[in-house]
Amino acid sequence: MSSEFTGETEEIKDDDEDEMKDKDKDDDENDDEGFSVLSDLPVETSERRPTCHTCCRPIKVCLCPYLPAHPLDVSTCLYIVQHPAEESRVLRTVPLLVACLPPGKCKVFIGRRFTEERYPELAAVCKDAHTLLLYPGASAENLEDLASDCTLTGHNVILIDGTWSQAKDMFLRNSLFRLPKQVQLRSTSSSQYVIRTQPTNMCVSTLECAAVTLSIMEKNQHIQEVLLKPLQALCSFQLQHGAQVHHSKEHLIKNGQYNKILPQNKRKIRRMQKLIGNQNN
């Protein structure tokens, strides 16, 4: 009885396999038919807007008319270490900075970790006695107070391009950035990059940092005016096309307008509110 039961079971199993094979065959035929139908459909191709190779902006809002007619004559060489996330942002200021300066006077290195083996040129610059790293901190010297006349000898300045958290991470994790003299700007005006939110009123874009730095290094205030002109035009274009003015988080908190407070950020917001309160007192 056991053998008969087993035999029936095997026979049923064979029938199931045949049915499954037939079903798989039908499914394959249906898939092929469906694919052939889809393959006959017209493919919609989205044409990318023509982009200016100089300012990296769409042709319709090209900023080249706001760039200097000739690259600024500067002795200082800028080295921008840029977080990879900045490269994909649509509204970037570094391409405008590069377009305003002579070839070789503004070099961009993209990455998170910078070692001597992978970036020998940047490592050599960090070891150069005439190199400064612009990054605020307790050990940073005010750039305005530097005794040496930077116009007599060509200097290099390294700037970190990214959000404040990204810049902090890059500064702390790259030992090469401990080699140059660390400097900071004693004071800056409120950012004119009003289409992007800044943490505080004193935070400025990379282009604005470079503009102030070069005007100090070259002892020429006109440099700052020239470099800020395309940034002002960029913001004006965006505001005309529906963008909104972005106040800093400090401004919004101070005026009770900052509502996007996540639980993990509440402690940070309270510290900022306390700091603002102490400054007002």
Side-chain angles (χ1 to χ4, degrees):
M1 183 174 179
S2 176
S3 61
E4 291 176 355
F5 182 79
T6 304
E8 290 177 356
T9 303
E10 292 175 352
E11 186 176 351
I12 294 173
K13 183 178 179 181
D14 293 339
D15 291 341
D16 289 343
E17 288 180 351
D18 292 338
E19 290 178 2
M20 290 297 295
K21 290 179 180 178
D22 292 339
K23 186 176 183 300
D24 291 342
K25 183 177 181 181
D26 292 339
D27 290 342
D28 291 340
E29 291 177 353
N30 291 334
D31 290 342
D32 292 340
E33 182 179 356
F35 179 77
S36 62
V37 172
L38 291 175
S39 63
D40 293 336
L41 293 175
V43 178
E44 295 184 3
T45 57
S46 57
E47 295 184 2
R48 189 172 184 179
R49 291 185 297 175
T51 302
C52 174
H53 296 292
T54 302
C55 67
C56 300
R57 296 283 297 154
I59 296 296
K60 288 186 177 181
V61 287
C62 175
L63 296 175
C64 289
Y66 304 92
L67 300 177
H70 303 284
L72 293 172
D73 184 16
V74 295
S75 60
T76 306
C77 186
L78 300 180
Y79 288 84
I80 313 294
V81 287
Q82 186 179 81
H83 191 278
E86 286 294 316
E87 189 181 13
S88 61
R89 291 186 181 275
V90 177
L91 302 175
R92 297 177 292 158
T93 63
V94 170
L96 300 178
L97 177 61
V98 174
C100 290
L101 299 176
K105 286 297 183 180
C106 185
K107 300 183 180 181
V108 182
F109 296 87
I110 301 172
R112 293 184 179 87
R113 303 292 177 264
F114 298 90
T115 62
E116 185 171 0
E117 293 74 19
R118 294 183 60 187
Y119 298 90
E121 180 183 357
L122 182 61
V125 171
C126 289
K127 295 177 181 180
D128 191 332
H130 295 106
T131 297
L132 306 174
L133 173 72
L134 186 66
Y135 187 82
S139 59
E141 184 178 349
N142 292 330
L143 182 61
E144 298 90 336
D145 298 335
L146 285 178
S148 61
D149 188 352
C150 298
T151 60
L152 297 179
T153 56
H155 275 66
N156 309 307
V157 179
I158 300 175
L159 296 92
I160 304 178
D161 183 39
T163 64
W164 281 100
S165 60
Q166 291 168 350
K168 181 179 180 180
D169 178 74
M170 292 168 66
F171 174 73
L172 295 176
R173 292 181 179 272
N174 289 282
S175 58
L176 282 179
F177 300 158
R178 306 290 187 283
L179 301 178
K181 178 184 288 185
Q182 185 179 344
V183 296
Q184 63 186 2
L185 299 175
R186 182 169 53 202
S187 61
T188 57
S189 57
S190 297
S191 176
Q192 298 186 39
Y193 194 20
V194 294
I195 54 176
R196 186 170 173 180
T197 304
Q198 304 291 351
T200 70
N201 293 335
M202 302 308 295
C203 293
V204 295
S205 66
T206 302
L207 174 61
E208 291 170 300
C209 272
V212 176
T213 299
L214 286 176
S215 66
I216 295 172
M217 300 282 289
E218 304 289 327
K219 298 187 181 301
N220 184 351
Q221 186 63 29
H222 180 64
I223 291 177
Q224 184 175 349
E225 299 173 5
V226 173
L227 288 179
L228 292 183
K229 192 174 181 180
L231 176 64
Q232 294 164 351
L234 169 64
C235 294
S236 178
F237 279 140
Q238 294 302 122
L239 293 174
Q240 291 173 17
H241 288 80
Q244 300 295 320
V245 173
H246 286 223
H247 295 290
S248 69
K249 291 181 181 179
E250 177 186 352
H251 173 89
L252 297 177
I253 294 170
K254 187 176 181 179
N255 292 275
Q257 300 173 340
Y258 190 76
N259 300 319
K260 299 179 181 180
I261 303 178
L262 300 176
Q264 63 268 30
N265 292 335
K266 287 183 177 179
R267 185 177 300 175
K268 184 186 298 183
I269 298 300
R270 284 197 294 267
R271 287 201 301 267
M272 185 174 291
Q273 289 173 331
K274 184 178 180 181
L275 177 62
I276 294 172
N278 293 336
Q279 291 175 347
N280 293 335
N281 295 333

